[in-house]
Amino acid sequence: MSDVIMQQVILRKESTSAPSSSEAAEKLGRAGATVVDEKSSSLLVEGDEETIRSVTRDLTGWKTIPMKRYSVPDTRKKIGW
C-alpha cells in the first residue's frame, strides 16, 4: 500500500474569461479533491498531489500556487545539567 501525500494549493483566477470559481470547484470535486475555501477569484484546494496537478493543468486562466508549511521554532530556553 502506498502513502498518499495530501497537498494544499491556492488557485487564483487571473483572467475574466477563465471558468468561474464554482465551475472550477465542481471540476476539482469530481476528480476527488476537496475545496476547503471558495471565493469568487480564488480557491483553497486539498487532495492528492497528482489529482490536483492533472485537473489544474486543464483550468486555463487559473494560476496554481502550492502552500508551504513552516514549523515554528522552539524559543524556550533549555537548561541542561
Side-chain angles (χ1 to χ4, degrees):
M1 185 156 80
S2 66
D3 292 330
V4 176
I5 299 172
M6 297 299 276
Q7 180 180 4
Q8 284 189 335
V9 296
I10 297 170
L11 294 176
R12 180 157 303 227
K13 188 174 180 178
E14 294 192 323
S15 170
T16 56
S17 62
S20 69
S21 63
S22 58
E23 291 172 331
E26 183 179 326
K27 191 171 192 177
L28 286 157
R30 277 185 273 144
T34 303
V35 177
V36 179
D37 190 24
E38 180 179 346
K39 306 238 184 303
S40 62
S41 62
S42 65
L43 297 168
L44 175 60
V45 181
E46 181 177 73
D48 175 52
E49 186 176 351
E50 190 56 41
T51 301
I52 293 173
R53 189 177 294 132
S54 67
V55 174
T56 56
R57 198 176 299 133
D58 298 333
L59 287 175
T60 54
W62 285 85
K63 181 179 180 180
T64 304
I65 305 163
M67 292 282 291
K68 294 186 181 193
R69 299 210 182 256
Y70 298 96
S71 57
V72 178
D74 184 9
T75 58
R76 294 180 290 178
K77 290 186 179 185
K78 298 193 180 25
I79 300 173
W81 290 88

